[in-house]
Structures are given as C-alpha cells and as structure tokens.
Amino acid sequence: MRKMSPRMTAESLPERLDELPVEPREFLALISVDFTGTYQVYLAAKDERIKMTRLSMSLLAAPFAAAIALVSAKVVSPTALTTWHAVPAYLFATVAGFGVLNVLPFLRLIEAVNAHMRTARALNNFRLLYVVQLKDHFSALGWTPNLPVDPRYPETYAPLAWPGINVMMLALVNSSYIAVGVLGLIGAEPNAALLTVVIGLLALIHYFVYYVRANVSRQRRLPHNPYHFPNVET
C-alpha cells in the first residue's frame, strides 16, 4: 500500500528562512505568481462591483417598466398613477418586491468593494517590495513612484469615498422602494414625516450591514504567522 506523506501545517514549517526548500532564484517567480493572482482578483472584484451596480439599476428600473407596460396596455389609467390611493396594490407590491430583491446585489456590491480595496492594498504591498529594494537607484535617477506604496491604503471602510458613496446611495434608494411599497400595501397615509422615518430606519439597517462587513469584520482572527511578519492589515 502506498504510504501517504503527512500534510504540512503552519506549525511544521521551519522557523528560519534559510531552511526553506526554495532557492533564492525562485523567489522572484513565486512573487510574480502571487502578484499575478492578486491582480486578477483585483480586476475581478472591480468588474463585479460594476456589474452589481448595473444589476441594481436594472432591478430598480423594473417597477417603472412595469407601470409603463400596464399603462400602454390600458390596464391602468395614467391618472391613477398620480394619486397615492388610486395606485393598484400590485404596483406597490412590485415596488416593494424589487426593493427587497435588490438587497442581494447590494450585499454583493459590499463584498466586491471589500475585495477590491483589500487587493489594492495587497498590490501596494507588492509595490513596496521593489520600491524598498530600488530606492537608492530611484534617488540617483531623481525619480519617485507616483503610485501608493502604503499597504494600509486604501481603507476598506470609507463611506465618503466613491465606492462608499455608491453603496450608501444604493442603500437609500433601496430603503425608499421598500418603504413606499410597504406603506402603499398597508394603506398608510403618505405623509412626508412617516416616509422619512421609515426610509431613515431602513437606510440605517443597510448602513449597519455595510459598516459590519467593511469595518467590524476586519477585526477577525488572523491566520497563523510562523515567521512573525508584521501585520499590515487594519
């Protein structure tokens, strides 16, 4: 019977770098592979962020398309859409339904923004590697990189940056759809104060999810670090 070799764990790794079964000439190849993989994840996260934004816009446009189709088919009178109590209940249900459905791309957008920011930090860390090694040569040339080399930049939780603004605006629109749809279904009076309170509460729930996923979840248990490298994640 073939004997299986035991799986290598973090505890079984050598404590000294010179004991690693890797030749110095292979380090650059390993770094190149890691960088390429990180860059591919970075591009995929950026692409997913754009796709989730487009998907959200499509879902949010669906109730308007449904209303236009119903008016064109003369199922609903155009004047009925101008009065709160004359709007059919199924249109309110459509608005609420697509607002709830849009929570899914909202959550995926948060994850895509997180992945995008984290891989950007990883790329900065790779860039820091060659900047440190070549800093004297760069100084002799009178040249400095105009790209960030701080592995703690950019912040994953940055509500005032464009990715954060994108998330927060989507949260506000989602909340508005759900609030209008639910209030219309239960026949509540459409006063501005009630709408503002309900939309505000729903937006706070969305914001809480964003805050937890982008900020609080960073305080997770870190993987084992047998070589005691300094942690550059914050």
Side-chain angles (χ1 to χ4, degrees):
M1 181 179 292
R2 184 179 178 182
K3 187 176 181 180
M4 300 296 292
S5 59
R7 177 179 294 180
M8 179 174 287
T9 62
E11 289 77 8
S12 65
L13 290 173
E15 291 292 334
R16 293 174 55 83
L17 291 176
D18 53 11
E19 297 176 10
L20 286 174
V22 179
E23 295 294 330
R25 64 177 179 272
E26 297 175 336
F27 287 162
L28 183 60
L30 293 173
I31 292 173
S32 176
V33 169
D34 277 348
F35 178 85
T36 302
T38 303
Y39 188 65
Q40 292 301 320
V41 174
Y42 172 82
L43 293 179
K46 180 180 179 181
D47 186 57
E48 184 179 10
R49 197 180 78 186
I50 296 173
K51 287 181 178 178
M52 289 301 104
T53 302
R54 290 174 177 171
L55 177 59
S56 294
M57 295 299 102
S58 299
L59 291 174
L60 294 174
F64 293 97
I68 293 172
L70 291 172
V71 170
S72 300
K74 301 186 184 304
V75 176
V76 178
S77 172
T79 56
L81 300 180
T82 61
T83 306
W84 177 273
H85 294 291
V87 176
Y90 54 81
L91 279 182
F92 281 122
T94 302
V95 172
F98 276 97
V100 173
L101 186 62
N102 202 43
V103 172
L104 181 59
F106 171 78
L107 296 176
R108 287 304 310 160
L109 178 61
I110 294 175
E111 297 303 320
V113 169
N114 280 348
H116 192 210
M117 296 300 104
R118 288 188 181 279
T119 48
R121 292 154 73 111
L123 293 176
N124 291 342
N125 199 30
F126 277 107
R127 193 177 297 118
L128 179 65
L129 176 65
Y130 76 76
V131 169
V132 169
Q133 296 297 322
L134 300 176
K135 61 181 180 179
D136 294 334
H137 184 64
F138 290 160
S139 297
L141 293 175
W143 179 86
T144 56
N146 60 352
L147 293 172
V149 295
D150 184 1
R152 293 183 174 89
Y153 174 86
E155 279 287 339
T156 54
Y157 174 69
L160 296 182
W162 279 115
I165 292 174
N166 190 8
V167 171
M168 295 309 301
M169 290 304 298
L170 186 57
L172 183 61
V173 176
N174 264 13
S175 303
S176 301
Y177 271 55
I178 297 172
V180 169
V182 172
L183 291 177
L185 279 175
I186 64 177
E189 289 295 328
N191 61 79
L194 179 61
L195 277 173
T196 302
V197 170
V198 175
I199 292 173
L201 290 175
L202 291 171
L204 281 176
I205 295 174
H206 282 73
Y207 172 76
F208 178 74
V209 173
Y210 170 54
Y211 178 78
V212 169
R213 292 302 303 150
N215 191 34
V216 177
S217 63
R218 293 186 304 177
Q219 303 169 8
R220 63 195 185 282
R221 182 177 178 273
L222 295 174
H224 183 64
N225 183 6
Y227 299 110
H228 310 292
F229 292 122
N231 176 37
V232 295
E233 278 285 349
T234 57

